[in-house]
Amino acid sequence: MPLRPNLLTEIDAALAGLPKANLNSASAGYDLYEAYIWALVLRAARNEGATIRFRDRHGNHPASFWFRTSPSNIFSPAHDYCHAEIDFPGRPILEAHVGIFVAGRSHIAHECDVAVLYKSEADICRASNVEPRSSKLVLAVECKYYLNSGIGIGLGRSFLGLLNDVYKGDRYFVGTAESASVKTLFAAHRKNNELGLTPLNTRREARLVSRFETTFDHFKSSRP
């Protein structure tokens, strides 16, 4: 069964009728996969009672949703990039982005394929042309789209190294392909991962959404 149409179906469902501006069946697979994981984040937030609103970089409701298809600054004016607001009652508003840079403890910028952060932090960064601090991330996901090869152990080790700079916590590593060595590595370090994940594997998809739900449940019950 072809993967791309299923990725697009999940993205369309997350957008709830809002047209996609720049993703279609001809888009790169890794761009569709990142948007798909972003869609699963929104599904989990909705399941936990959040209201979802879509915004462009000016804070307006967009006529269509423009996804990042290469990493860029949250304040980039290259396109009218869009994001989702996640609003839980009585809690600070969050934003869910695809492909933004965040600043680690070393002040080096790192790409986050999918990032959920505080709206207050995002507003400051857009106004001041600076990267969001990784300490303000509620959730982040590293996405690996591999169809014709496995995910090598080097990618897993790189992710562990990245965590040393972008703080530990709800940071996830997901990929389309299986990798016994990477799963063993992450199990030893107790790191969140879901490999062999596509819309065609509903069991693993549901498991990842459940993990995202747990992240949001903790956020809802945490101190303001």
Side-chain angles (χ1 to χ4, degrees):
M1 185 180 296
L3 181 56
R4 286 170 183 263
N6 290 274
L7 295 173
L8 287 165
T9 296
E10 294 286 348
I11 297 165
D12 287 335
L15 290 172
L18 184 67
K20 302 181 297 299
N22 64 328
L23 289 184
N24 53 52
S25 59
S27 298
Y30 49 81
D31 290 328
L32 294 176
Y33 193 65
E34 290 175 7
Y36 158 65
I37 299 300
W38 174 88
L40 296 186
V41 169
L42 298 194
R43 185 197 300 180
R46 287 187 173 107
N47 289 349
E48 285 295 312
T51 298
I52 305 296
R53 293 181 290 267
F54 301 112
R55 297 285 184 257
D56 61 22
R57 68 187 188 89
H58 302 291
N60 301 317
H61 182 77
S64 60
F65 198 99
W66 193 287
F67 287 92
R68 286 178 172 82
T69 54
S70 59
S72 64
N73 314 104
I74 197 170
F75 51 86
S76 172
H79 294 286
D80 200 4
Y81 294 120
C82 299
H83 60 271
E85 285 185 355
I86 300 174
D87 189 357
F88 291 104
R91 301 294 299 150
I93 297 174
L94 305 175
E95 292 185 2
H97 291 261
V98 173
I100 61 170
F101 291 113
V102 300
R105 287 181 290 187
S106 65
H107 304 293
I108 294 174
H110 301 283
E111 178 189 356
C112 276
D113 294 330
V114 177
V116 177
L117 69 157
Y118 287 86
K119 179 181 183 298
S120 57
E121 177 77 0
D123 286 340
I124 291 170
C125 294
R126 283 188 287 264
S128 305
N129 287 4
V130 296
E131 313 295 356
R133 293 167 289 178
S134 60
S135 59
K136 298 300 181 179
L137 291 175
V138 173
L139 183 155
V141 190
E142 181 88 356
C143 306
K144 299 300 180 186
Y145 182 83
Y146 284 76
L147 294 184
N148 299 317
S149 63
I151 295 174
I153 190 69
L155 293 174
R157 289 176 178 145
S158 295
F159 179 70
L160 292 180
L162 176 65
L163 291 182
N164 290 328
D165 199 36
V166 298
Y167 299 85
K168 298 177 181 179
D170 291 324
R171 310 293 188 259
Y172 295 83
F173 185 101
V174 304
T176 54
E178 296 279 7
S179 175
S181 59
V182 172
K183 290 186 75 69
T184 299
L185 175 68
F186 288 159
H189 291 271
R190 298 182 179 180
K191 299 306 177 188
N192 293 313
N193 70 94
E194 195 65 65
L195 301 182
L197 173 71
T198 75
L200 306 179
N201 192 321
T202 56
R203 182 178 64 85
R204 291 182 180 176
E205 184 182 87
R207 187 165 59 194
L208 182 63
V209 170
S210 178
R211 289 174 175 173
F212 291 159
E213 289 170 354
T214 299
T215 294
F216 287 127
D217 183 60
H218 290 165
F219 169 76
K220 290 190 297 180
S221 60
S222 64
R223 302 177 71 178

